[in-house]
Amino acid sequence: LVQPWNLVLGFAVYGVRKLSMANAGRQDVVLQQSPIDIEAVRPRGELYVGTAIIEDYVNQYQTEFHLGIVPEPHNCIQMLRQKCSYVIDLEQVRYITDTPGTVIVELPPLRYVATTQDSPFMSDDEDYWAEAMPSTNDMKRKVEDKIRQRFDTAENREKAQRNAEASISLLLRKLGYEARFAPHLDSEKL
């Protein structure tokens, strides 16, 4: 008769032999050092690289004539507060491996965006202006143009470009790469 402990011992010996035969035929896989695939960890979305809150206004004067001869001057002001920014679409950034540890980066052109935060309209006579100018959209466009001219300058674009390069460089440095920036064609000017 077979003792239970002999049965357990037999199964243990059988298991050890099977494992040792399986490991004898297997070769260890050695992973080589390779650079990380930047595309796999590419940031998505938009990167704001320069922002300011700007407020400006335009005013309009008109004269109303009572009985055709009595003048009454009227004045209104359209104010606008906007958050103006330069943005880079991170999905359009191109990364090209140059040498080990170095990546050439091609940035897309900066894009100007503005969002209106507040747009108060003030006048000396609401009834007059409601009839004389039912929409203030033209005045708002004029203020938007003034704000863009104040913010969207060559100097501010250069600062925003440097901010974009610094941000991308920092990200790549954390991944173990140094960034070199290639010049790009400004498609907005073509």
Side-chain angles (χ1 to χ4, degrees):
L1 216 62
V2 176
Q3 296 291 328
W5 60 272
N6 285 340
L7 190 57
V8 172
L9 185 60
F11 278 123
V13 169
Y14 175 77
V16 168
R17 289 193 70 209
K18 278 291 199 188
L19 283 174
S20 65
M21 282 192 268
N23 285 336
R26 192 179 104 208
Q27 296 177 347
D28 287 338
V29 176
V30 178
L31 297 177
Q32 298 293 324
Q33 286 286 76
S34 60
I36 188 167
D37 183 9
I38 293 173
E39 294 300 319
V41 294
R42 164 195 284 271
R44 305 275 186 225
E46 296 179 329
L47 176 65
Y48 284 73
V49 293
T51 300
I53 303 290
I54 299 178
E55 187 172 278
D56 212 329
Y57 70 94
V58 293
N59 53 2
Q60 187 165 332
Y61 301 97
Q62 287 186 2
T63 302
E64 176 184 23
F65 289 95
H66 298 283
L67 302 172
I69 53 173
V70 179
E72 182 182 355
H74 292 285
N75 181 20
C76 68
I77 295 174
Q78 176 66 60
M79 296 174 63
L80 208 62
R81 179 182 303 130
Q82 287 192 316
K83 178 181 177 183
C84 305
S85 303
Y86 289 117
V87 178
I88 285 186
D89 183 355
L90 291 172
E91 296 187 36
Q92 292 182 5
V93 176
R94 289 188 50 208
Y95 302 97
I96 304 163
T97 304
D98 185 26
T99 60
T102 305
V103 175
I104 297 173
V105 181
E106 292 180 2
L107 295 176
L110 295 170
R111 186 169 42 93
Y112 169 82
V113 294
T115 56
T116 300
Q117 307 292 306
D118 195 17
S119 61
F121 176 81
M122 295 178 282
S123 69
D124 61 347
D125 185 345
E126 289 181 25
D127 293 334
Y128 172 79
W129 287 107
E131 188 177 313
M133 186 174 52
S135 172
T136 62
N137 288 338
D138 288 338
M139 290 183 79
K140 286 179 184 176
R141 276 191 286 281
K142 289 177 185 176
V143 182
E144 287 172 352
D145 290 343
K146 284 177 71 174
I147 289 174
R148 182 168 185 161
Q149 287 175 2
R150 285 178 53 194
F151 180 79
D152 194 11
T153 64
E155 181 181 343
N156 284 344
R157 279 191 175 269
E158 180 64 30
K159 286 178 188 176
Q161 186 71 29
R162 285 194 309 266
N163 288 343
E165 290 175 4
S167 297
I168 298 291
S169 291
L170 181 62
L171 171 71
L172 290 173
R173 199 171 304 123
K174 287 182 178 185
L175 294 173
Y177 291 94
E178 286 302 316
R180 286 190 316 135
F181 290 89
H184 63 276
L185 292 175
D186 192 350
S187 61
E188 294 175 357
K189 294 182 181 177
L190 294 178

